[in-house]
Amino acid sequence: METLIPTINRLQEVFLTVGAEIIQLPQIIVVGSQSSGKSSVLESLVGRDFLPRGTGIVTRRPLVLQLVNVPPLKERLKIENGVRVEEWGKFLHCKNQIFTDFQEICQEIEAETQRCSGDNKGISPEPIYLKIFSPKVLNLTLVDLPGITKVPVGDQPEDIEAQVQEMILSFISNPNSLILAVSPANSDLATSDALKLAREVDPDGRRTLLVVSKLDLMDAGTDALEVLLGRVIPVRLGIIGVVNRSQHDINTQKSLEDSMKDEQVFLQRHYPSLASRAGSRYLAKTLSRLLMHHIRDCLPDLKARVTVLSAQYQAQLNSYGQPVEDHSATLLQIVTKFASDYCNTIEGTARHIQTSELCGGARICYIFHETFGRTLQSIDPLAGLTDLDILTAIRNATGPRPALFVPEVSFELLVKRQIKRLEEPSLRCVELVHEELQRIIQHCSSFSTQELLRFPKLHDSIVEVVTGLLRKRLPITNEMVHNLVAIELAYINTKHPDFTDAGQVSASVNSQQAEVLDGGKRWKNDKVAEETAPPTGFGSPSKGQAINLLDTAVPVSRKLSAREQRDCEVIQRLIKSYFLIVRKNIQDSVPKTVMHFMVNHVKEHLQSELVGQLYKQPLLQELLIESQDTAQQRTEVAQMLEVLKKANNIISEIRETHLW
């Protein structure tokens, strides 16, 4: 058990080498109001004067005090030729310098405090680490914090109270710490700031020990018996009363040994029933025992935490890769891996598959069959064609002669106009696939190829090469899609197997009209009505009427004759039939064109393009320059991993048998 506290001290020193507090180590935190006697309690634990004294706020930086019990000088000289003094101290910031004069230790604490906090009364959260070796001390690790103050003094900032409280809370909120709350006996315990702060982070009081100082300064006729017995405010770990040296004792340089004797005499006289459970010596033994048991309880979690962190930092170090030695091999490896990841993302076989959104080949498939397919399906074959447009086309196709049959030229003219509308969504499909191929570059950079983050110049060059390759293929693919539509416009194949025969359409329309009309009389009546009707509309259009008929969006309001209705119906059915054939062809051939001219071409030529443009001897050195962040992070992670390995070895030295 006695080895536990030195073990934690070693762990503390190991972690200080990297300046990081990633592990919360067990330690005792001394908390109390300003001038409550915290420093006097610490000096009584050490048995020497070594802390700065004065009025107001004296402790302005956390002091991490490690007490190490060593054999007496005579015994040590028999074993080894070490330090030839009974007691000595060491500061972490003074490498290998040994302080044998405790007055020098006091001066060094003051100098180090001023160096960091300045000459005014400001505070600093940066700790001072002091280790004291003595045969008179018990193994302990304590942290002395600035006293809780309410009103700023001198050059102190207005928020000094908040600063001190924030600093204290940052230490005592560590669940592995014990809280040593110091409260003077001559003030009401219910108003104790130290206990109030301790309750905030330790409401159950499982790790709080109360020290009642200045027992000898209570008003005449009063005592602290009720407080020490825990009847006023119960504290789980106990309440210990101590008697501090007065300022007169300090001025007359009364030794701590004499003070402890006087303390025992005082306790025997005023608190005989509690004398064996009070005083500085009992406090030291209690703190050492509590800390050892607390370390024992924390040790399994501590070991698990070190193991988990080691695994995390090892994985992080692996992700940064090794420093580059063979530039050629490294470049080829990264380029090949990127090309492979890019193609795998398109094929859907990549290691990093997103679950939040479609990407890569799945997104391209969605563009082909959902976006592009639905857009084509939503195009109405007859959209934008009115009966008036159709009749005008028929009349223009016949020239000066009245038409006996529906002219074929008018059908071709109108159906080409409708087919032309398929070109815009087809080109938009190419653009969407091109955008997705661009997005795959970023996807591969961030998810698949960790090495690219190490070499920002290589990453930018790869992005530039792939973007250039895609940019070259875009106009070629657009041209081919444009040609697909142009091919359909070049020859209207009315003999297509799926195209409805014009004669059948005409006969079907005639039969439908015959059912609606009442025999030949209705035809005759219509004909007579048509002959007697005034020459409006198509009869003999004037120039103004022709402009109105063809250019305006508002159709001329007149009733169509039966024959005109029949001709419109025939043309509409033929246009719809042929448009559906062409739309089906375009919906099938555009995705194939995009795959062949863009997607597959990029997949096949990506690696050769990257190697051809980047694998050049003059560029190798420049492209494989690591980012400063990566190099620095690798160094920091390697140092942290080394520290965690040392910590693991230190903890592993403790056998289970040592814990009980």
Side-chain angles (χ1 to χ4, degrees):
M1 282 282 283
E2 287 73 17
T3 61
L4 292 179
I5 295 175
T7 298
I8 295 299
N9 290 346
R10 287 170 63 195
L11 286 176
Q12 203 166 41
E13 290 169 12
V14 163
F15 285 116
L16 279 173
T17 58
V18 290
E21 296 180 4
I22 55 170
I23 299 283
Q24 294 180 317
L25 297 172
Q27 53 192 3
I28 298 173
I29 313 296
V30 184
V31 182
S33 299
Q34 193 171 296
S35 302
S36 61
K38 299 187 310 303
S39 298
S40 297
V41 169
L42 287 177
E43 286 185 339
S44 66
L45 294 175
V46 177
R48 297 295 292 264
D49 290 318
F50 68 98
L51 291 173
R53 293 195 169 269
T55 56
I57 187 166
V58 179
T59 307
R60 294 188 286 128
R61 284 179 62 181
L63 175 67
V64 179
L65 180 62
Q66 296 177 354
L67 305 182
V68 183
N69 180 266
V70 292
L73 179 60
K74 291 180 180 178
E75 293 183 23
R76 281 189 286 114
L77 290 176
K78 293 176 184 175
I79 303 169
E80 57 181 11
N81 291 323
V83 182
R84 294 181 174 273
V85 287
E86 193 78 16
E87 299 171 302
W88 72 97
K90 277 185 179 180
F91 285 97
L92 189 70
H93 61 270
C94 300
K95 299 292 183 184
N96 301 322
Q97 185 178 351
I98 294 174
F99 292 82
T100 55
D101 185 352
F102 279 77
Q103 195 59 39
E104 289 182 10
I105 291 178
C106 179
Q107 292 169 2
E108 181 60 33
I109 292 174
E110 289 179 340
E112 184 64 13
T113 301
Q114 286 188 3
R115 186 188 64 79
C116 195
S117 307
D119 294 331
N120 58 14
K121 298 293 183 180
I123 63 169
S124 168
E126 188 180 339
I128 299 173
Y129 290 87
L130 171 62
K131 189 181 268 191
I132 291 179
F133 301 83
S134 170
K136 299 175 184 176
V137 300
L138 295 172
N139 289 325
L140 271 178
T141 302
L142 304 119
V143 181
D144 186 22
L145 295 176
I148 303 165
T149 183
K150 298 290 183 184
V151 181
V153 201
D155 296 333
Q156 287 180 346
E158 292 296 322
D159 62 340
I160 185 69
E161 180 186 3
Q163 283 187 26
V164 172
Q165 288 200 8
E166 186 181 346
M167 183 194 296
I168 292 171
L169 286 171
S170 70
F171 277 88
I172 63 176
S173 57
N174 170 10
N176 291 337
S177 65
L178 291 174
I179 304 168
L180 182 64
V182 180
S183 187
N186 55 2
S187 66
D188 192 347
L189 203 60
T191 63
S192 170
D193 292 317
L195 275 181
K196 178 176 174 290
L197 283 175
R199 286 280 171 89
E200 285 184 27
V201 296
D202 183 32
D204 299 333
R206 293 181 181 276
R207 51 190 185 89
T208 303
L209 174 71
L210 176 62
V211 172
V212 179
S213 62
K214 304 184 180 180
L215 286 175
D216 55 330
L217 297 182
M218 295 187 71
D219 292 339
T222 61
D223 63 25
L225 190 61
E226 294 292 307
V227 171
L228 295 174
L229 291 173
R231 292 172 186 166
V232 178
I233 295 179
V235 179
R236 184 75 61 91
L237 294 183
I239 302 173
I240 299 174
V242 296
V243 177
N244 303 107
R245 286 188 302 167
S246 65
Q247 190 61 44
H248 175 71
D249 293 338
I250 296 167
N251 294 340
T252 56
Q253 297 183 350
K254 183 178 180 180
S255 70
L256 278 163
E257 289 183 7
D258 294 339
S259 297
M260 285 185 185
K261 290 176 184 175
D262 292 346
E263 180 186 46
Q264 285 300 317
V265 171
F266 179 86
L267 291 172
Q268 289 287 356
R269 185 185 307 136
H270 293 87
Y271 303 96
S273 60
L274 292 176
S276 60
R277 288 181 285 123
S280 302
R281 287 194 177 91
Y282 178 76
L283 174 62
K285 291 176 184 176
T286 304
L287 288 176
S288 184
R289 176 177 54 81
L290 286 174
L291 186 58
M292 280 192 288
H293 283 85
H294 189 63
I295 292 170
R296 184 192 65 189
D297 296 338
C298 295
L299 209 57
D301 290 339
L302 200 63
K303 190 170 185 178
R305 174 75 175 149
V306 169
T307 305
V308 169
L309 282 173
S310 297
Q312 289 176 355
Y313 277 98
Q314 185 64 58
Q316 192 175 346
L317 185 63
N318 293 341
S319 70
Y320 291 133
Q322 297 297 322
V324 180
E325 294 178 359
D326 188 343
H327 289 76
S328 302
T330 304
L331 181 69
L332 279 177
Q333 180 186 352
I334 293 173
V335 165
T336 305
K337 191 173 186 302
F338 178 85
S340 173
D341 287 339
Y342 191 92
C343 296
N344 289 340
T345 304
I346 295 175
E347 293 295 330
T349 56
R351 288 179 301 165
H352 300 275
I353 296 178
Q354 283 190 338
T355 55
S356 57
E357 61 175 354
L358 292 176
C359 112
R363 177 75 180 165
I364 293 172
C365 178
Y366 181 85
I367 292 168
F368 286 157
H369 302 293
E370 296 292 331
T371 309
F372 177 60
R374 284 183 182 178
T375 304
L376 290 190
Q377 293 296 332
S378 67
I379 297 175
D380 182 8
L382 300 173
L385 277 184
T386 62
D387 291 347
L388 204 57
D389 293 335
I390 295 171
L391 288 176
T392 305
I394 291 172
R395 288 216 164 183
N396 284 338
T398 57
R401 295 172 299 282
L404 292 174
F405 306 101
V406 178
E408 194 173 316
V409 177
S410 63
F411 162 71
E412 286 200 10
L413 177 71
L414 294 171
V415 83
K416 282 181 179 179
R417 173 176 160 182
Q418 296 305 95
I419 291 171
K420 187 73 176 168
R421 296 171 59 215
L422 297 173
E423 184 173 6
E424 185 183 346
S426 300
L427 293 173
R428 177 64 182 152
C429 175
V430 177
E431 187 181 336
L432 288 173
V433 173
H434 178 264
E435 288 174 5
E436 180 55 31
L437 291 174
Q438 289 273 30
R439 284 181 66 232
I440 295 175
I441 302 174
Q442 299 304 322
H443 173 81
C444 292
S445 300
S446 54
F447 288 99
S448 303
T449 315
Q450 178 69 29
E451 288 87 347
L452 284 178
L453 302 178
R454 292 176 58 195
F455 310 112
K457 287 191 176 180
L458 178 59
H459 174 260
D460 294 343
S461 300
I462 288 176
V463 171
E464 189 179 337
V465 170
V466 181
T467 305
L469 181 60
L470 291 172
R471 198 184 298 118
K472 280 193 291 185
R473 300 309 299 174
L474 184 60
I476 297 170
T477 312
N478 280 337
E479 181 67 25
M480 187 60 203
V481 169
H482 176 76
N483 287 339
L484 287 177
V485 179
I487 288 166
E488 295 292 348
L489 293 171
Y491 181 64
I492 306 300
N493 182 16
T494 53
K495 289 294 183 182
H496 194 282
D498 297 335
F499 183 61
T500 309
D501 185 66
Q504 291 178 358
V505 172
S506 184
S508 172
V509 172
N510 286 337
S511 64
Q512 285 178 4
Q513 284 193 346
E515 291 173 6
V516 175
L517 299 176
D518 187 18
K521 294 178 181 179
R522 184 68 177 270
W523 269 97
K524 186 177 179 182
N525 293 338
D526 285 343
K527 198 170 185 181
V528 172
E530 192 177 341
E531 288 170 359
T532 58
T536 59
F538 279 108
S540 55
S542 65
K543 185 178 178 183
Q545 288 170 331
I547 292 170
N548 183 48
L549 189 66
L550 294 172
D551 294 343
T552 184
V554 182
V556 176
S557 57
R558 78 173 177 83
K559 188 176 180 182
L560 299 180
S561 68
R563 178 173 178 176
E564 288 172 342
Q565 286 180 352
R566 184 197 66 190
D567 290 350
C568 282
E569 182 73 20
V570 169
I571 289 289
Q572 284 174 348
R573 289 195 184 187
L574 292 175
I575 288 173
K576 188 171 184 179
S577 174
Y578 196 79
F579 181 84
L580 294 178
I581 293 169
V582 175
R583 185 172 73 182
K584 184 178 177 183
N585 291 343
I586 293 292
Q587 192 171 345
D588 180 61
S589 56
V590 167
K592 291 178 178 177
T593 302
V594 174
M595 286 300 295
H596 175 73
F597 284 90
M598 185 178 286
V599 179
N600 289 344
H601 186 278
V602 169
K603 280 168 54 182
E604 291 167 8
H605 296 86
L606 178 61
Q607 185 169 347
S608 58
E609 190 80 13
L610 286 170
V611 172
Q613 294 202 34
L614 300 181
Y615 190 67
K616 296 174 181 176
Q617 204 62 37
L619 291 175
L620 290 179
Q621 201 77 21
E622 183 184 348
L623 291 175
L624 293 177
I625 295 175
E626 274 191 320
S627 67
Q628 289 184 347
D629 291 343
T630 304
Q632 183 181 349
Q633 286 170 359
R634 188 198 293 111
T635 305
E636 289 175 358
V637 170
Q639 288 177 349
M640 187 60 73
L641 191 59
E642 190 63 31
V643 164
L644 287 168
K645 286 179 181 176
K646 288 181 182 177
N648 200 28
N649 292 337
I650 292 170
I651 296 174
S652 299
E653 291 174 7
I654 304 171
R655 300 286 180 263
E656 293 297 322
T657 52
H658 295 168
L659 300 180
W660 305 99

